[in-house]
Amino acid sequence: MFLKALYAAIDIAGESDAVFWTKDYYNDLLEENRSLYNTHLYNEGPKSALKVKEIKAAIAPEATVMNGYEILNRYFDSLFWI
Protein backbone atom coordinates (compact mmCIF):
# COMPACT_ATOMS: atom_id res chain seq x y z
CA MET A 1 0.00 0.00 0.00
CA PHE A 2 2.84 2.35 0.89
CA LEU A 3 4.67 1.70 -2.38
CA LYS A 4 1.49 2.36 -4.34
CA ALA A 5 0.97 5.70 -2.57
CA LEU A 6 4.61 6.62 -3.05
CA TYR A 7 4.41 5.82 -6.76
CA ALA A 8 1.27 7.95 -7.08
CA ALA A 9 3.01 10.86 -5.33
CA ILE A 10 5.99 10.56 -7.69
CA ASP A 11 3.66 10.49 -10.68
CA ILE A 12 1.76 13.58 -9.52
CA ALA A 13 4.90 15.56 -8.56
CA GLY A 14 6.41 15.40 -12.04
CA GLU A 15 10.07 16.28 -12.50
CA SER A 16 11.79 18.17 -9.68
CA ASP A 17 14.76 17.81 -7.35
CA ALA A 18 12.60 16.48 -4.51
CA VAL A 19 11.16 13.82 -6.80
CA PHE A 20 14.66 12.62 -7.69
CA TRP A 21 15.34 11.59 -4.07
CA THR A 22 11.86 10.15 -3.69
CA LYS A 23 12.36 8.03 -6.82
CA ASP A 24 15.67 6.83 -5.43
CA TYR A 25 13.96 5.85 -2.15
CA TYR A 26 11.13 4.16 -4.09
CA ASN A 27 13.61 2.13 -6.17
CA ASP A 28 15.49 1.09 -3.01
CA LEU A 29 12.24 -0.14 -1.48
CA LEU A 30 11.37 -2.05 -4.65
CA GLU A 31 14.74 -3.78 -4.65
CA GLU A 32 14.43 -4.67 -0.98
CA ASN A 33 10.96 -6.14 -1.54
CA ARG A 34 12.18 -8.14 -4.54
CA SER A 35 14.85 -9.76 -2.41
CA LEU A 36 12.33 -10.50 0.36
CA TYR A 37 9.37 -11.76 -1.63
CA ASN A 38 10.67 -13.06 -4.97
CA THR A 39 13.15 -15.63 -3.72
CA HIS A 40 12.68 -19.01 -2.08
CA LEU A 41 8.99 -19.24 -2.89
CA TYR A 42 9.35 -23.01 -2.96
CA ASN A 43 11.41 -25.45 -0.92
CA GLU A 44 14.82 -25.66 -2.58
CA GLY A 45 16.25 -28.30 -0.23
CA PRO A 46 16.37 -32.08 -0.56
CA LYS A 47 12.61 -32.36 0.10
CA SER A 48 11.74 -30.11 -2.82
CA ALA A 49 8.77 -31.27 -4.90
CA LEU A 50 10.89 -30.69 -7.99
CA LYS A 51 13.39 -33.33 -6.82
CA VAL A 52 10.90 -36.16 -6.32
CA LYS A 53 11.57 -39.14 -8.55
CA GLU A 54 8.74 -39.90 -10.96
CA ILE A 55 6.92 -43.19 -10.49
CA LYS A 56 4.77 -44.29 -13.42
CA ALA A 57 1.32 -45.62 -12.63
CA ALA A 58 0.89 -49.36 -13.01
CA ILE A 59 -2.62 -50.05 -14.33
CA ALA A 60 -3.76 -53.61 -14.88
CA PRO A 61 -5.09 -54.26 -18.39
CA GLU A 62 -8.29 -55.76 -16.98
CA ALA A 63 -9.00 -52.74 -14.74
CA THR A 64 -12.43 -51.19 -15.16
CA VAL A 65 -12.73 -47.60 -16.34
CA MET A 66 -14.77 -45.42 -13.98
CA ASN A 67 -15.65 -41.75 -13.67
CA GLY A 68 -14.11 -39.81 -10.82
CA TYR A 69 -17.40 -39.31 -8.98
CA GLU A 70 -18.00 -43.08 -9.02
CA ILE A 71 -14.62 -43.71 -7.45
CA LEU A 72 -15.29 -41.11 -4.75
CA ASN A 73 -18.76 -42.54 -4.06
CA ARG A 74 -17.32 -46.05 -3.61
CA TYR A 75 -14.57 -44.72 -1.37
CA PHE A 76 -16.99 -42.80 0.85
CA ASP A 77 -19.33 -45.79 0.98
CA SER A 78 -16.49 -48.00 2.17
CA LEU A 79 -15.50 -45.41 4.82
CA PHE A 80 -18.88 -44.63 6.29
CA TRP A 81 -20.91 -47.85 5.85
CA ILE A 82 -18.60 -50.38 7.42
Side-chain angles (χ1 to χ4, degrees), residues 1-32:
M1 195 74 166
F2 176 71
L3 286 173
K4 185 176 180 180
L6 190 58
Y7 180 80
I10 291 169
D11 192 39
I12 292 170
E15 296 295 325
S16 69
D17 291 338
V19 174
F20 173 77
W21 296 109
T22 308
K23 282 183 183 178
D24 189 43
Y25 177 63
Y26 176 76
N27 289 330
D28 288 344
L29 287 176
L30 277 180
E31 190 59 38
E32 181 180 342

Side-chain angles (χ1 to χ4, degrees), residues 9-82:
I10 291 169
D11 192 39
I12 292 170
E15 296 295 325
S16 69
D17 291 338
V19 174
F20 173 77
W21 296 109
T22 308
K23 282 183 183 178
D24 189 43
Y25 177 63
Y26 176 76
N27 289 330
D28 288 344
L29 287 176
L30 277 180
E31 190 59 38
E32 181 180 342
N33 283 327
R34 273 191 204 101
S35 67
L36 287 174
Y37 298 111
N38 292 350
T39 58
H40 304 295
L41 292 176
Y42 302 103
N43 185 354
E44 295 178 354
K47 293 186 177 183
S48 170
L50 300 174
K51 295 181 181 178
V52 174
K53 185 179 176 184
E54 178 184 11
I55 300 173
K56 298 281 186 183
I59 301 173
E62 66 275 352
T64 59
V65 177
M66 298 176 69
N67 290 321
Y69 73 90
E70 294 173 317
I71 296 169
L72 289 174
N73 285 340
R74 281 194 186 181
Y75 176 70
F76 288 137
D77 286 344
S78 68
L79 279 178
F80 299 119
W81 299 107
I82 294 179

